[in-house]
């Protein structure tokens, strides 16, 4: 078995983040981010979410807890984040960038509906021997 390329490790991290947003624990989700990560999201009036900038794992975790408490995402909400069209640029041995398209589905157990689409502009760092997300800028549309 050949070791994964650096780009494939980034793609795996992106997939893991999407899975954990929908079905994982808050702790496992935030472990995918660097300690000082930055997470930027525009307002989403359809879901009642204001624009947000979260810095550090604690603030990112607080945002996840808020969205889960509101029934917007997470276990039991029957939602799915899908990440596709992932383009990875490894910029050094310890940094990388990735651009991806996301789609967000709701009512996935009854009548799945596309609720949103947009893009991620992500930056990654190798931290504690693992690729972790260090900055995410989310765009809608």
């Amino acid at each position: 078995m050949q070791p994964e390329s650096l780009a494939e490790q980034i793609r795996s991290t992106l997939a893991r983040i999407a899975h954990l947003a929908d079905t994982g624990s808050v702790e496992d989700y935030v472990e995918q981010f660097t300690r000082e990560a930055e997470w930027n999201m525009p307002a989403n009036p359809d879901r009642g979410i204001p624009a947000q900038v979260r810095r550090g794992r604690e603030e990112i975790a607080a945002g996840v807890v808020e969205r889960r408490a509101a029934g917007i995402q997470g276990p039991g909400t029957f939602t799915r984040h899908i990440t596709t069209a992932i383009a990875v640029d490894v910029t050094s041995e310890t940094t990388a960038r990735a651009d991806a398209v996301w789609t967000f589905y709701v009512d996935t157990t009854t009548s799945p509906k596309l609720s949103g689409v947009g893009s991620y502009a992500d930056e990654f760092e190798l931290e504690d021997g693992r690729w972790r997300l260090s900055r995410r800028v989310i765009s809608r549309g």
Side-chain angles (χ1 to χ4, degrees), residues 45-117:
D46 298 338
R47 306 293 290 170
I49 304 172
Q52 300 176 36
V53 176
R54 306 277 181 162
R55 291 184 177 88
R57 286 184 185 159
E58 285 184 25
E59 285 187 20
I60 292 169
V64 173
V65 168
E66 288 172 12
R67 290 188 300 281
R68 288 181 176 198
I72 294 169
Q73 73 178 62
T77 61
F78 309 110
T79 60
R80 289 286 175 194
H81 290 81
I82 312 295
T83 307
T84 59
I86 301 166
V88 176
D89 181 22
V90 178
T91 53
S92 77
E93 291 181 7
T94 60
T95 61
R97 288 191 302 259
D99 294 304
V101 173
W102 60 264
T103 52
F104 182 68
Y105 290 86
V106 298
D107 302 326
T108 58
T109 60
T110 55
S111 300
K113 291 183 278 226
L114 179 62
S115 176
V117 64

Side-chain angles (χ1 to χ4, degrees), residues 32-46:
Q32 307 310 306
F33 294 79
T34 61
R35 288 176 194 82
E36 303 301 321
E38 182 179 302
W39 188 86
N40 300 272
M41 186 177 82
N44 184 341
D46 298 338

